[in-house]
Amino acid sequence: MKRNTKVSTAVIRRLPRYYRQLSELQEAGVVRISSSALGKSMGLTASQIRQDLFCFGGFGQQGYGYKVDSLKEEIGEILGISQGHTLIVLGTGNLGRAIIQNFRFSANGFQLLAAFDVDPAVVGTRIAGVPVRHTGELEEFIAANRVDVGLLTVPIAAAQRMGDRLVEAGVKGIWNFTNYEITCASQDVIVESVHFSDSLLALSYMISQREEDNL
Amino acid sequence: MKRNTKVSTAVIRRLPRYYRQLSELQEAGVVRISSSALGKSMGLTASQIRQDLFCFGGFGQQGYGYKVDSLKEEIGEILGISQGHTLIVLGTGNLGRAIIQNFRFSANGFQLLAAFDVDPAVVGTRIAGVPVRHTGELEEFIAANRVDVGLLTVPIAAAQRMGDRLVEAGVKGIWNFTNYEITCASQDVIVESVHFSDSLLALSYMISQREEDNL
C-alpha cells in the first residue's frame, strides 16, 4: 500500500485503538460504520477519524462509511500484524507469568517462542505451554531463532543489563515493563515502555477535575 | 492555581510523562532545565513543551528554563497527587499480585487499602502487607472506608459485574486491567483501561517501519 511515511506519534498511538475498536465491532457483527459513529465510540471527532485514516491512503467512501472488516485488515497490515513477528519473555515473576498466561500474542500478530529466567525452580518447566530456559542461553537462542522483540519483566536492577544483552544479540525491539527507562545504544532498536503510573496519574487527574467540577 | 479548564486529552496524557521525567531529573540532581532539553528527553519540541505547560498557568521564565523541583510539584498538584486518593485491588491473580507487590502507589499519591478475592486460599492473608478480603465484603468495606479507585484484575467473565458493583458502591474511578471494555452506567465514574496490546501494536508498527526503511 502506498502511504504517507511521515506519520505523527499521536496517529501511531491511535492506530492500535482503531484496530481494537474495529475488532470489537467485527465480533459484534457490524459490517459498516460511519466516521462519526466510529469517532463517538472512541471519543474522537468524525473529522479526526477521516484525517487519521487519510494519512494511510484514505479508505472509506463518502456517504457510505467504512467497511469494518476491510478497514480492520488494512490497519492490521499497517501495524505489521501479518508479518509474523516473534517474541521472547525475560523474567517469569508474577507479571511475566500473567502476561505469558493471559496476553493474546497471536491476536496481535506475535508468536511467543520462549521465556527466560535464572530461577532453577522454573527453568526447564513450561508456563502455558511456553518453555522456560535459563537466561544464560539467551544469546545462543537468539542466534539460532529469529527473535524480533524481547519483553522485559526482570527486576529493575537487571533491566539495563538485560536490555543491553538483547540489543547486542540483535533484537529489533524491546517491550519494557520494568518501570526503568533503559537507554539503548543502537538506533536500530526500538524501546517501547509500559508505564502503569502514566495511566493511574491520568485517572488521578480526571478524578480530581471531576471533584472540582462538582464543588 | 488558576488554570484553563478545557485541556485536551493529548495534554492530559502527556502530564504524567512530564511528572515522571521531572522526577528522574530531580533524582539525578538537575536543578533547572530548558524547554528544549526537556523536550528532547521526551521526544517533543520546545514549543510543544511551552504550549503544554502554558495550559496550566505557564510557569517557567524566558531564558532561564524551568526549575525542576517546583515544576514537578506544580504538575503533581495538577495531577491530584497530593489529594490522598485511596484504592483497592479486585483480583489477586498473577497480575494483581505483581501490581500489589511492585507498583509504587504512594509515589503516585495513592494509598492501597485492601485487596479482594474469592479464593479461600488467599482470603485472610496479606500480600506485601496488604490485607486480602473476601469479595463478598466489598460493599461493606467501601461503605466504611473512602475508596476513590477500584483496580480491576479479575477474569474477563467477571469484569463487567465487578465494575458494576464498584460503581454501585460509589467509587470515583475504575482502573481496568481486564482487557474487557467495561461500560459504566454512571457519568460520574471514570474508567481508565490499560491495554497492553496498544503498546505492543505500536511497537509492531515501529519495527515494521524500520524494516521497510532498511530495505
Side-chain angles (χ1 to χ4, degrees):
Chain A
M1 192 185 353
K2 185 85 193 104
R3 59 179 187 264
N4 190 334
T5 50
K6 262 298 190 193
V7 179
S8 79
T9 311
V11 177
I12 294 168
R13 291 286 158 192
R14 278 198 290 274
L15 278 180
R17 290 179 53 208
Y18 284 117
Y19 188 78
R20 185 154 46 78
Q21 192 68 31
L22 290 163
S23 302
E24 281 171 20
L25 289 166
Q26 192 178 38
E27 274 171 38
V30 177
V31 175
R32 280 187 173 276
I33 188 157
S34 67
S35 42
S36 60
L38 183 57
K40 199 173 173 199
S41 70
M42 294 181 60
L44 299 167
T45 66
S47 105
Q48 180 83 79
I49 299 267
R50 284 190 296 264
Q51 261 177 47
D52 281 359
L53 300 181
F54 186 74
C55 288
F56 296 97
F59 356 75
Q61 256 181 293
Q62 188 68 42
Y64 288 88
Y66 298 95
K67 268 202 83 195
V68 170
D69 57 355
S70 53
L71 182 57
K72 181 196 159 192
E73 207 175 308
E74 296 217 52
I75 291 179
E77 190 65 39
I78 292 166
L79 289 169
I81 284 176
S82 62
Q83 296 194 8
H85 286 141
T86 56
L87 180 140
I88 56 173
V89 173
L90 273 65
T92 63
N94 285 315
L95 181 58
R97 197 169 279 268
I99 294 172
I100 293 169
Q101 287 174 339
N102 301 316
F103 187 76
R104 294 169 65 208
F105 285 101
S106 62
N108 292 284
F110 277 79
Q111 191 193 348
L112 174 52
L113 301 178
F116 291 84
D117 207 303
V118 289
D119 180 358
V122 289
V123 170
T125 67
R126 283 173 180 267
I127 300 172
V130 176
V132 183
R133 293 165 171 265
H134 194 279
T135 308
E137 300 170 27
L138 182 68
E139 285 77 7
E140 193 186 336
F141 184 86
I142 297 179
N145 300 273
R146 206 200 74 215
V147 175
D148 295 314
V149 170
L151 186 166
L152 278 187
T153 61
V154 296
I156 279 192
Q160 184 63 51
R161 185 161 37 88
M162 294 313 298
D164 290 341
R165 283 177 63 181
L166 284 170
V167 171
E168 188 65 32
V171 302
K172 296 168 191 158
I174 295 175
W175 197 19
N176 176 26
F177 281 78
T178 65
N179 207 30
Y180 179 84
E181 282 289 351
I182 59 177
T183 54
C184 176
S186 168
Q187 289 285 348
D188 284 332
V189 177
I190 292 152
V191 179
E192 163 76 12
S193 298
V194 175
H195 290 286
F196 293 171
S197 63
D198 289 3
S199 171
L200 183 60
L201 289 179
L203 180 58
S204 173
Y205 172 84
M206 291 182 280
I207 289 172
S208 305
Q209 285 300 302
R210 194 59 61 89
E211 284 168 347
E212 274 187 23
D213 293 348
N214 289 343
L215 285 183
Chain B
M1 192 185 351
K2 185 87 191 103
R3 60 181 186 261
N4 189 334
T5 50
K6 260 300 190 192
V7 179
S8 79
T9 311
V11 177
I12 294 167
R13 291 285 159 193
R14 278 197 291 272
L15 278 180
R17 291 178 53 209
Y18 284 117
Y19 189 77
R20 186 154 44 78
Q21 193 67 32
L22 290 162
S23 303
E24 282 171 20
L25 289 167
Q26 193 179 36
E27 274 171 39
V30 177
V31 175
R32 279 188 175 277
I33 189 159
S34 67
S35 43
S36 59
L38 183 57
K40 201 175 172 198
S41 71
M42 294 180 61
L44 300 167
T45 65
S47 105
Q48 180 84 77
I49 299 267
R50 285 190 296 264
Q51 260 178 50
D52 281 359
L53 300 181
F54 186 75
C55 287
F56 296 99
F59 358 75
Q61 256 182 292
Q62 187 68 40
Y64 289 88
Y66 298 96
K67 269 203 81 197
V68 171
D69 57 355
S70 53
L71 182 56
K72 180 196 158 191
E73 207 176 307
E74 295 217 52
I75 292 179
E77 192 63 40
I78 293 165
L79 288 170
I81 284 176
S82 62
Q83 298 194 6
H85 286 140
T86 56
L87 180 141
I88 56 173
V89 172
L90 273 66
T92 61
N94 287 313
L95 182 58
R97 197 169 278 268
I99 294 172
I100 293 169
Q101 288 174 339
N102 301 315
F103 187 76
R104 295 170 63 208
F105 285 101
S106 62
N108 293 284
F110 277 80
Q111 191 192 349
L112 175 50
L113 302 178
F116 292 83
D117 207 302
V118 290
D119 181 358
V122 289
V123 170
T125 66
R126 284 174 180 266
I127 300 173
V130 176
V132 183
R133 293 166 170 264
H134 194 280
T135 308
E137 300 170 27
L138 181 66
E139 285 75 8
E140 194 187 334
F141 184 87
I142 296 178
N145 300 274
R146 206 199 75 214
V147 175
D148 295 313
V149 170
L151 186 165
L152 278 186
T153 61
V154 297
I156 280 191
Q160 183 63 51
R161 186 162 36 87
M162 294 313 298
D164 290 342
R165 284 178 62 182
L166 284 170
V167 170
E168 188 65 31
V171 301
K172 296 168 190 159
I174 295 176
W175 197 19
N176 176 26
F177 280 79
T178 66
N179 206 30
Y180 180 84
E181 283 290 351
I182 60 177
T183 54
C184 176
S186 168
Q187 289 284 349
D188 284 331
V189 177
I190 292 153
V191 179
E192 164 75 12
S193 297
V194 175
H195 290 286
F196 294 171
S197 63
D198 288 3
S199 171
L200 184 59
L201 288 179
L203 180 58
S204 172
Y205 172 83
M206 292 183 278
I207 290 172
S208 305
Q209 285 301 302
R210 194 59 61 91
E211 284 167 347
E212 273 187 25
D213 293 348
N214 289 343
L215 284 184

